[in-house]
Amino acid sequence: MRLLAVLLAFASLATAQEKVLRIPIRADGPKTLDPVRGSTQYEAEVCEQVYETLVQYSYLEYPKLEPLLLEEMPKVDGLVYRFKLKKGVRFRDDPCFPDGKGRELVAKDVFYSWKRMADKRNQPKAWWLFEQTIKGFDAYREAQNKAGKFDYDAPVEGMRILSDHEFEVELTEPVYRFLYVLAMFQTAVVPREAAERYGDAFSGHPVGTGPFLLSRDEDWQRTKSIVLHRNPGYREAFFPDAGGEARHEAAGKRIPFADRIEITFFQEDQPMWLEWKAKNLDYVTVPSENFTEAYTKRKRTLRPEWEEQGVTSAPIPLLDFIWQCGFNMEDPLVGGYTEEKRALRKAISYAVDLEETNDRFYNSINVVYDGMIPPGLDGHPPEGRSPKGARGPDLDKARALLAKAGYPDGKGLPPLEYWSATGTIQQEMLELLQRQLGKIGVQLKPRFVDFSQLTEAVHEKRAQLFGFAWGSDYPDGENNLALFYGPNESPGSNSFNYKNAEYDELYQRIRTMGPSPERTELYARMRDMVLEDCPFVGAMARTRFYLIRPRLRNCRPCETFWNWLKYLDVDPGAK
Amino acid sequence: MLFSRAVRKFRKSRLAVISAIGILAYLAIGIGIFLGLVTREDAFECVGPNHVPGFGAAQKPEKRFDDVDFELGLFERALKRGDKEEALAEIRLGRRRVADVPVEELEKRLDAAFEIFDELDVSRDLNREPQLWPKLGELEAAAARLWQPLEGRDAFSQRVKLAFGTDRQGRSILLRSVYAVKIALQIGIIVGVASVIVGTLLGAAAAYYGGWVDHLVQWLYSTLSSVPYLVLLSVLVFMFQGSAVEQSLVPLYAAFGLTFWIGPCRVVRGEVLRIKQLDYVQAATALGQRRSLILLKHVIPNVSHVMLVQFSLLFISAIKAEVVLTFLGLGVKDEPSWGIMISQAKQEVVNGFFWQIGAATAVMFLLVLAFNIFTDALQDALDPKHIA
Amino acid sequence: MWQYVVRKLLWNIPVYLGILLVVMVALRVNDPVWARLGKNATQEQYEQTKEDLGLHESFLRQYGRLLNGFDLDRYSWDKHGRTVRQELSQAVWPSLAIAGPALVLTTLVALLTALLAAFRRGRPLDRWLMAGAVVGMSISYVVYVILGQYFGAYKLNEWVGREIFAIQGYDRSQPLWWVQYCLLPVLINAALAVGYDARFYRAVIVEESTRDHVRTARAKGLSERRVWLKHVLRNAMISVITHVMITLPFLVAGQIVIEVYFGIPGMGSTLITAILGKDFPIVQGFTAVFAALFIVTNIATDVLYAVVDPRVRLQ
């Protein structure tokens, strides 16, 4: 019976000339579809189809920001931002509304949604985005969470409604990232009726204004797949027109194109790769193990057999900051800011050969660079090299520094505890690191734990040396510089527990600066300050390689934002 | 008397003799490694490009090109460094060293190699363009000129190191799987001997003295054998986590020791219960000899064959359990062992590279097989009632 | 007979008390709180964690609690907000979905092989089968698992062009989920256990077939079939059943490697994750339950033995 139903489903799929997008997520998918509870890329990937933010990244002119729910970009007058919402934006139909008809989105929905990020009972993951940003918001959060009941109607000094479609926000200081924050899915607008009616179940029952919707809750099979349908009530919206010679063939056409999106979650590379080869996916990110199957290793050009199928390729440099080895600056042995301690850390840094790691484990597709600001952003050093960077391998320097630190040839230095997530690759990477450091006589003692335990150990400042990575939330070096800001120390994002008063002062300054040569200079200065103290050995940034089937049109993958699925068109006949 | 007959019976089985020789050969290797034949550094040293197949098996042109790329990269990066001489001196792949020529000459050779490299680099897919293959040969020859030619012993040693190919990090699979013999023997012998001694003493005492001693020993082994042994092993390894000896082999020894004495204890107890009734023991008792003396002088020597069999059974279990525990992340961490090699080969298997898992399995298989046959033959020879 | 059963039952009491004692001591030799918190923890953190775990109480009280229901209502350390009991009840089914069928399959195949070998004792077939068993036993079972997954899942799927066996995972919402997720692990599990069991069963059958009463039966002119069925197999069955019963709890533990490698959220893989993460409540609870399971099967085996074995029955 059940099998029959499956077969019938297949049959109906084949006959209807529906436009279906078939997309993989290389993970177990989102944990929640409630924007304020979300934090991972996978949650963004689904949430951004069903919910919308005030502004979005321009699809054709990334990283430019453009209005989405707004009529126009906000008018800035000193610390006051004036917003004007688009008219006629409606939430999808849902039983939570009177008569089940979706109502229009208005200004108070925006503030309600933001206030949800302040309510601890919602378990919000991204309050930090709004921290010390809007006048009176922090105090409101404090007071409401202390009170027995969180009052969403209580006023916030800096958040003022002018009319149904107009509101203004007053900031505490000109925080530059504010606009980027408004493009992040956590600040997407949700209707109060739904959030209150569904409570915890709201996580699995999204009610948004987005181009797609979850028609039945069962369409989301946790850890397996999710199916989204086109939102029939989606307002008139069109494919962007960049103008000039860059005019896209789809420019001016009504979006979204697809009737349905089928997203499958893959917890392993191999099944995903097999599905892709069976032409069951419209695009795929190439697993590093299969890299040479798709590309020639040196030039990274697509192999002819793929080109013959009409497959195209899109390499996306990721805003990554992967460090080989981070130091806990509060550790009595490797931490501290004296000359000797600095020499010890630099000695280790000089002994490490990141290119070898890159070659052996990533098919040389990573970019190795000095500092913490990934390629493509202001503050990234020219050619990836900073004069302050202690880039290895330079064993002579390493040995000299080690002697200066008081451990000639590693004598007297106890084995250092290196924390890493469990996994064969991690074990092997550690062996490589052990071999490299062994050349100067530094011993590592591995501690392999689960990823969640690794972050916990780092957050509790228990890990002496540790390796993991940071992916930028928005394309601005400030996001990565925040990783070394003193007050962000563990359990905040400053896992290194790096503290430097001068640096903190500079950070306060750049927080409120827009892009300018002056700011770039400050970024570089801050970067080099950190490099001078050497709280990590690194860094690397990955490149994600997308392969795209010919039936998929208008595809320009980007991983900073995800609402571009609405721009994708497919040829329903082709496979 | 018992023994001479057993030895004759044992020697009659050709398989048993071969397996005994095999075991001795492994023992010799183990001793050799112990004396420094293969050092820990050898097992970690990078001897060539990654994933080179064994026995110089042919590779696809693309892979050959990548390998040359890897070698040229080593030189290129070294020549970019401040102190070129020093940087060049640090380059080594196994026995291979940088050619003994002035830096200028080397730079020239590198340039020449890169010239050919660039010509080939226009190709989209070398596997499909046989007309370029001769050029690839030229490139390999040009790259070879960067290295000091290997002669005599060095050449032989390099060939040996590459005999089973290399792993992901370009380390010699042969050396690693051979070095692992030491770890295996170490674990097998220490655990085997310790468990057999403890088990025999407790088992013999239980059977011989009876009464509360017997009850206590039986209780002890019933208790310990009630927890599935993999679970018990894991818990015992847990016991040592976070302690000073965590990364060493001590937790493994302790865990194996605590679980493995049960087997010999049970068997010896049964055997001693039988021996106890024999005339000569009765006679010794009647003569008024001290009981502990009788136990040591008359009883235990008569279970020595059981001990031998038990030892070889435990030896096998110990080295197999090492692989499992290591695979689960609880075993050996710091040294190349078969367990480490097999779990590192997981990824390679997906890509169809079987040299590492093959080598580790083969070297381990031969030892375990030899021991299995040896044990069977031993049981046959010593225990007329045993049916193999 | 009842005397025998009662004696066996009584004997299991001190064994059970002993197991829990061993588990408790083993988990406390190396202070689990420090092991978890690391050396940089403050005294305050330490005391707090100790209290959360109930480790501040006297050893005897803790022992009492463990005896009285395995202390299952304690919260797991890593899976926030989930108790040991919840974890356990969730992990039992995937384990059984593999262990049960694997046991049946292994026993059937092993018995058949053993019978075949024993029947042809000393002939080439016997020698080949037993040589095969020895060779098979000499390969680490981790290798079976890795290669089994590669050829059974990756390669098979590639050849067929669609997914037959899942490479990893466990999802009961799928139609035919058992075939997709469990069948391959079951096959691998059976493949690596058959060698041991076949050797054991063959030895048992051969031993039974050389007994005096069998010879007598033959001498009396009974047909070969009747001799085998009535005298050899029936007696051999006692040992077979005992063996199966005893392996029952070990089976669940023995498939740890398979569960971990195939990403099946069973008892074995949960325990290993807990051990790696130093999740004390889970490790203690699961180990105690494993031991209790063993005791239960132990008693069941004894009772069964008493019912089946005439020597005991007639006592």
Side-chain angles (χ1 to χ4, degrees):
Chain A
M1 210 39 227
R2 213 159 169 191
L3 190 67
L4 192 69
V6 174
L7 287 176
L8 283 175
F10 272 118
S12 66
L13 191 155
T15 50
Q17 283 290 300
E18 253 189 330
K19 288 183 170 179
V20 184
L21 281 176
R22 303 159 311 173
I23 286 171
I25 288 185
R26 173 54 191 86
D28 55 1
K31 299 272 171 289
T32 170
L33 296 183
D34 182 350
V36 304
R37 290 191 186 189
S39 58
T40 66
Q41 174 192 326
Y42 318 112
E43 279 139 15
E45 221 167 323
V46 179
C47 280
E48 291 189 19
Q49 314 312 322
V50 291
Y51 288 110
E52 288 180 308
T53 45
L54 294 182
V55 297
Q56 69 174 351
Y57 290 95
S58 162
Y59 189 44
L60 300 179
E61 294 160 87
Y62 171 83
K64 202 183 99 181
L65 288 174
E66 62 186 24
L68 177 60
L69 285 174
L70 295 178
E71 186 70 45
E72 59 198 17
M73 286 307 276
K75 294 207 173 62
V76 187
D77 178 12
L79 289 173
V80 179
Y81 284 59
R82 282 195 71 158
F83 296 86
K84 201 168 156 199
L85 288 170
K86 267 193 185 111
K87 291 211 170 87
V89 176
R90 307 187 75 83
F91 287 107
R92 63 165 290 193
D93 295 345
D94 188 272
C96 71
F97 300 115
D99 310 330
K101 295 296 277 178
R103 62 165 174 80
E104 188 172 20
L105 181 147
V106 290
K108 67 174 197 292
D109 290 318
V110 177
F111 287 159
Y112 172 74
S113 305
W114 292 0
K115 283 174 179 171
R116 289 188 76 232
M117 289 175 77
D119 187 349
K120 284 185 183 162
R121 283 169 315 164
N122 288 330
Q123 302 161 15
K125 294 272 170 58
W127 164 251
W128 62 273
L129 291 172
F130 274 138
E131 206 161 13
Q132 293 175 40
T133 303
I134 299 174
K135 213 171 206 172
F137 204 13
D138 300 74
Y140 166 85
R141 173 175 182 258
E142 194 96 337
Q144 295 300 330
N145 278 316
K146 231 177 247 163
K149 196 173 169 299
F150 197 99
D151 182 7
Y152 282 95
D153 298 316
V156 174
E157 195 193 342
M159 285 156 64
R160 295 184 286 266
I161 292 177
L162 305 176
S163 72
D164 267 1
H165 292 97
E166 277 176 296
F167 59 93
E168 61 181 30
V169 173
E170 190 178 340
L171 304 189
T172 49
E173 51 193 341
V175 179
Y176 175 68
R177 75 170 179 213
F178 184 56
L179 281 183
Y180 286 117
V181 166
L182 298 184
M184 290 179 64
F185 80 101
Q186 286 98 331
T187 65
V189 183
V190 304
R192 183 168 188 166
E193 295 90 328
E196 282 179 356
R197 171 162 173 173
Y198 298 113
D200 276 346
F202 187 54
S203 264
H205 185 90
V207 180
T209 59
F212 299 96
L213 47 77
L214 185 67
S215 25
R216 299 174 311 146
D217 291 357
E218 304 85 79
D219 282 346
W220 179 21
Q221 290 192 9
R222 304 286 194 294
T223 74
K224 202 71 197 166
S225 66
I226 188 166
V227 178
L228 300 172
H229 286 86
R230 172 216 285 274
N231 177 359
Y234 192 63
R235 63 179 178 277
E236 274 202 341
F238 305 97
F239 195 91
D241 188 347
E245 79 276 21
R247 193 183 151 87
H248 196 276
E249 51 159 353
K253 288 191 182 153
R254 176 108 186 242
I255 55 167
F257 295 106
D259 296 306
R260 196 149 55 114
I261 310 178
E262 294 175 2
I263 305 177
T264 316
F265 313 138
F266 293 94
Q267 303 192 27
E268 290 288 316
D269 283 333
Q270 225 49 38
M272 176 171 82
W273 187 243
L274 292 176
E275 285 288 306
W276 157 257
K277 291 214 292 197
K279 301 190 180 178
N280 291 331
L281 294 172
D282 290 328
Y283 69 67
V284 76
T285 55
V286 181
S288 75
E289 287 290 327
N290 301 93
F291 185 77
T292 47
E293 204 179 321
Y295 294 92
T296 57
K297 187 178 157 194
R298 280 152 288 106
K299 295 201 300 180
R300 299 168 206 176
T301 50
L302 204 56
R303 288 196 181 278
E305 55 263 43
W306 294 103
E307 267 185 354
E308 284 155 18
Q309 291 184 25
V311 169
T312 49
S313 141
I316 311 293
L318 300 186
L319 300 177
D320 267 347
F321 168 40
I322 306 176
W323 59 89
Q324 186 82 359
C325 167
F327 300 98
N328 175 6
M329 295 295 276
E330 285 183 11
D331 187 87
L333 184 61
V334 300
Y337 301 86
T338 58
E339 268 314 307
E340 290 79 33
K341 297 296 179 189
R342 231 179 255 164
L344 171 62
R345 291 191 297 266
K346 280 193 171 163
I348 291 173
S349 182
Y350 273 120
V352 170
D353 182 357
L354 290 168
E355 287 295 350
E356 191 177 4
T357 309
N358 190 11
D359 182 62
R360 301 295 199 190
F361 295 98
Y362 298 97
N363 276 309
S364 297
I365 58 181
N366 287 0
V367 180
V368 177
Y369 63 91
D370 290 338
M372 70 302 274
I373 303 177
L377 300 183
D378 287 348
H380 182 74
E383 301 196 353
R385 280 191 180 271
S386 157
K388 302 283 183 195
R391 174 97 68 92
D394 195 335
L395 299 185
D396 289 328
K397 239 182 212 163
R399 289 194 188 104
L401 282 165
L402 197 59
K404 192 173 153 199
Y407 309 103
D409 291 322
K411 273 184 210 82
L413 184 69
L416 304 176
E417 245 183 35
Y418 183 85
W419 289 70
S420 172
T422 347
T424 328
I425 290 290
Q426 278 77 6
Q427 160 94 36
E428 267 202 73
M429 283 185 168
L430 172 91
E431 284 176 12
L432 184 69
L433 199 60
Q434 276 179 321
R435 164 149 58 83
Q436 290 174 351
L437 294 184
K439 286 181 186 163
I440 61 165
V442 173
Q443 308 293 326
L444 289 184
K445 183 175 148 192
R447 292 295 299 266
F448 290 105
V449 290
D450 259 17
F451 186 73
S452 56
Q453 292 153 25
L454 173 66
T455 44
E456 212 171 303
V458 171
H459 285 168
E460 290 168 10
K461 302 185 180 176
R462 284 189 274 128
Q464 191 169 44
L465 272 58
F466 51 92
F468 54 88
W470 177 264
S472 299
D473 297 294
Y474 43 88
D476 185 350
E478 179 263 329
N479 190 249
N480 285 17
L481 290 169
L483 300 179
F484 299 89
Y485 178 52
N488 282 349
E489 69 175 307
S490 293
S493 58
N494 180 356
S495 307
F496 313 93
N497 305 311
Y498 179 75
K499 286 192 199 83
N500 180 339
E502 198 188 342
Y503 182 92
D504 292 352
E505 212 170 283
L506 286 177
Y507 178 76
Q508 287 291 353
R509 259 174 74 194
I510 56 144
R511 231 164 78 89
T512 59
M513 289 169 79
S516 64
E518 192 193 342
R519 191 186 71 159
T520 310
E521 203 169 291
L522 280 180
Y523 278 14
R525 210 171 115 201
M526 291 170 72
R527 178 196 71 216
D528 289 344
M529 276 167 94
V530 172
L531 285 175
E532 189 78 351
D533 287 322
C534 195
F536 65 89
V537 179
M540 279 195 284
R542 289 166 300 173
T543 303
R544 193 96 77 201
F545 288 82
Y546 277 77
L547 293 181
I548 303 162
R549 287 252 169 237
R551 79 189 281 269
L552 189 64
R553 288 198 288 262
N554 317 335
C555 186
R556 296 166 67 122
C558 180
E559 297 201 353
T560 320
F561 69 106
W562 287 97
N563 66 10
W564 43 270
L565 297 188
K566 62 188 173 189
Y567 299 121
L568 301 186
D569 196 0
V570 288
D571 183 353
K575 207 180 173 188
Chain B
M1 183 192 67
L2 174 75
F3 266 99
S4 63
R5 200 185 63 215
V7 167
R8 242 181 300 131
K9 197 170 169 196
F10 184 87
R11 285 209 350 229
K12 257 182 26 200
S13 159
R14 216 173 38 205
L15 220 57
V17 175
I18 295 174
S19 66
I21 293 171
I23 292 170
L24 285 178
Y26 270 88
L27 210 57
I29 293 175
I31 293 169
I33 295 167
F34 206 72
L35 296 176
L37 188 70
V38 180
T39 62
R40 198 170 180 278
E41 280 67 42
D42 287 335
F44 277 100
E45 180 196 37
C46 176
V47 300
N50 62 344
H51 291 158
V52 174
F55 302 124
Q59 306 203 60
K60 289 199 167 155
E62 276 287 324
K63 177 76 171 72
R64 281 162 61 194
F65 196 36
D66 283 344
D67 290 351
V68 174
D69 185 25
F70 163 78
E71 288 179 20
L72 296 186
L74 290 179
F75 288 93
E76 197 188 8
R77 265 184 284 150
L79 287 174
K80 269 189 198 153
R81 287 236 321 256
D83 188 355
K84 292 176 184 173
E85 303 256 350
E86 190 71 39
L88 286 170
E90 275 167 18
I91 296 183
R92 59 184 59 171
L93 286 178
R95 286 291 168 104
R96 301 176 87 183
R97 298 270 184 289
V98 176
D100 194 14
V101 292
V103 174
E104 293 75 34
E105 169 63 19
L106 203 69
E107 278 176 329
K108 247 188 237 157
R109 290 184 188 180
L110 186 63
D111 286 342
F114 266 117
E115 231 166 78
I116 312 177
F117 186 91
D118 289 340
E119 282 174 51
L120 280 171
D121 206 21
V122 298
S123 159
R124 297 294 311 279
D125 188 349
L126 279 177
N127 294 344
R128 290 180 165 204
E129 293 177 79
Q131 76 276 12
L132 286 174
W133 294 353
K135 197 108 214 166
L136 183 59
E138 267 176 55
L139 175 61
E140 281 170 333
R145 293 187 56 210
L146 296 167
W147 300 100
Q148 187 70 18
L150 288 176
E151 278 156 12
R153 275 190 54 185
D154 283 346
F156 176 72
S157 149
Q158 184 72 6
R159 261 208 307 283
V160 167
K161 282 179 180 170
L162 289 173
F164 286 172
T166 59
D167 66 0
R168 180 202 289 275
Q169 297 182 41
R171 300 176 298 197
S172 164
I173 290 177
L174 177 73
L175 288 191
R176 285 174 74 75
S177 45
V178 168
Y179 185 81
V181 170
K182 179 197 142 200
I183 306 287
L185 290 178
Q186 206 174 315
I187 292 175
I189 291 174
I190 292 180
V191 170
V193 168
S195 309
V196 166
I197 289 175
V198 172
T200 305
L201 286 179
L202 286 178
Y208 189 70
Y209 293 112
W212 66 269
V213 181
D214 193 17
H215 281 301
L216 188 72
V217 170
Q218 277 197 63
W219 172 79
L220 202 61
Y221 72 62
S222 311
T223 299
L224 284 177
S225 60
S226 299
V227 188
Y229 99 95
L230 206 49
V231 173
L232 189 57
L233 284 182
S234 310
V235 169
L236 291 172
V237 172
F238 177 89
M239 206 166 102
F240 288 96
Q241 275 184 358
S243 66
V245 293
E246 185 189 344
Q247 302 300 327
S248 68
L249 291 173
V250 174
L252 271 189
Y253 292 146
F256 287 162
L258 272 172
T259 41
F260 283 11
W261 64 272
I262 296 168
C265 179
R266 272 194 173 141
V267 179
V268 167
R269 180 174 165 274
E271 193 66 17
V272 171
L273 277 179
R274 195 178 57 81
I275 292 173
K276 210 169 109 177
Q277 307 301 328
L278 294 181
D279 293 345
Y280 71 96
V281 180
Q282 301 286 0
T285 317
L287 282 174
Q289 285 200 5
R290 288 234 325 267
R291 298 223 291 172
S292 52
L293 256 174
I294 299 175
L295 184 65
L296 285 176
K297 271 178 78 177
H298 297 295
V299 179
I300 289 186
N302 277 297
V303 292
S304 53
H305 63 290
V306 176
M307 290 167 72
L308 191 59
V309 171
Q310 287 298 317
F311 168 79
S312 43
L313 283 174
L314 292 182
F315 183 93
I316 300 168
S317 308
I319 59 180
K320 285 170 90 171
E322 180 272 317
V323 174
V324 175
L325 283 188
T326 304
F327 188 79
L328 294 174
L330 294 168
V332 181
K333 291 190 174 110
D334 248 4
E335 281 183 277
S337 75
W338 294 325
I340 291 237
M341 291 182 72
I342 290 174
S343 47
Q344 289 187 349
K346 279 187 295 196
Q347 282 297 322
E348 300 170 351
V349 165
V350 175
N351 284 342
F353 184 82
F354 292 98
W355 284 96
Q356 178 154 230
I357 196 172
T361 308
V363 178
M364 181 178 165
F365 170 76
L366 290 179
L367 178 61
V368 176
L369 183 68
F371 253 102
N372 268 331
I373 295 172
F374 178 76
T375 315
D376 273 353
L378 211 59
Q379 279 174 329
D380 262 355
L382 291 173
D383 178 5
K385 265 175 41 200
H386 175 79
I387 302 150
Chain C
M1 175 181 136
W2 288 113
Q3 206 190 350
Y4 170 84
V5 171
V6 169
R7 211 171 59 225
K8 281 286 175 186
L9 278 176
L10 286 179
W11 169 243
N12 274 311
I13 292 173
V15 171
Y16 179 60
L17 292 178
I19 295 168
L20 293 190
L21 195 67
V22 168
V23 169
M24 271 188 72
V25 172
L27 292 179
R28 282 165 180 76
V29 168
N30 181 27
D31 191 335
V33 182
W34 283 126
R36 166 72 182 188
L37 292 178
K39 46 182 179 283
N40 292 345
T42 62
Q43 192 62 32
E44 196 185 334
Q45 264 176 309
Y46 176 78
E47 296 298 337
Q48 182 58 45
T49 318
K50 204 162 178 174
E51 208 175 309
D52 289 345
L53 291 172
L55 286 172
H56 60 297
E57 292 180 79
S58 72
F59 191 85
L60 265 179
R61 284 201 60 159
Q62 294 180 44
Y63 188 53
R65 254 199 342 242
L66 194 61
L67 270 178
N68 184 15
F70 310 120
D71 212 6
L72 286 182
D73 289 313
R74 207 157 279 294
Y75 282 98
S76 152
W77 224 332
D78 281 317
K79 306 211 167 137
H80 302 283
R82 296 193 42 94
T83 60
V84 179
R85 185 187 307 280
Q86 284 170 318
E87 282 294 302
L88 190 68
S89 55
Q90 198 179 40
V92 164
W93 301 112
S95 280
L96 288 183
I98 292 172
L103 180 65
V104 174
L105 190 66
T106 312
T107 309
L108 285 181
V109 176
L111 260 179
L112 271 176
T113 318
L115 266 176
L116 221 60
F119 204 69
R120 303 239 152 217
R121 192 179 161 205
R123 306 255 186 85
L125 179 69
D126 177 30
R127 272 199 243 130
W128 279 113
L129 280 177
M130 287 306 113
V134 173
V135 168
M137 280 163 53
S138 304
I139 295 172
S140 169
Y141 52 82
V142 175
V143 174
Y144 284 98
V145 178
I146 295 178
L147 296 184
Q149 190 200 40
Y150 179 69
F151 289 107
Y154 288 132
K155 274 291 165 189
L156 187 70
N157 292 351
E158 218 174 54
W159 286 326
V160 180
R162 52 168 303 192
E163 191 174 286
I164 308 252
F165 296 134
I167 285 154
Q168 221 191 14
Y170 182 82
D171 176 8
R172 294 193 44 192
S173 68
Q174 295 292 304
L176 298 175
W177 62 274
W178 191 82
V179 175
Q180 195 180 356
Y181 294 105
C182 300
L183 185 53
L184 184 63
V186 164
L187 291 177
I188 294 176
N189 206 341
L192 50 88
V194 154
Y196 297 87
D197 286 2
R199 262 167 69 95
F200 176 77
Y201 294 152
R202 178 187 169 277
V204 168
I205 296 170
V206 167
E207 198 183 329
E208 290 295 337
S209 67
T210 52
R211 277 189 197 283
D212 291 342
H213 68 95
V214 176
R215 240 174 267 152
T216 321
R218 278 212 181 93
K220 265 171 36 189
L222 275 181
S223 78
E224 194 66 0
R225 223 182 82 185
R226 275 192 67 105
V227 170
W228 274 91
L229 281 180
K230 223 180 142 204
H231 293 273
V232 179
L233 283 187
R234 248 184 82 179
N235 287 322
M237 270 309 140
I238 298 171
S239 305
V240 170
I241 290 171
T242 320
H243 181 75
V244 168
M245 292 291 284
I246 289 176
T247 42
L248 216 61
F250 290 90
L251 209 69
V252 175
Q255 63 186 25
I256 287 179
V257 173
I258 289 183
E259 281 183 14
V260 169
Y261 203 57
F262 280 91
I264 288 160
M267 290 178 70
S269 61
T270 310
L271 180 66
I272 288 297
T273 316
I275 286 178
L276 289 173
K278 305 179 169 75
D279 192 344
F280 174 80
I282 296 262
V283 176
Q284 177 171 290
F286 272 53
T287 321
V289 169
F290 267 126
L293 269 179
F294 179 83
I295 295 287
V296 170
T297 47
N298 222 357
I299 293 171
T301 316
D302 285 337
V303 173
L304 196 83
Y305 206 70
V307 175
V308 180
D309 193 330
R311 277 165 300 181
V312 181
R313 198 173 50 207
L314 296 176
Q315 248 177 29

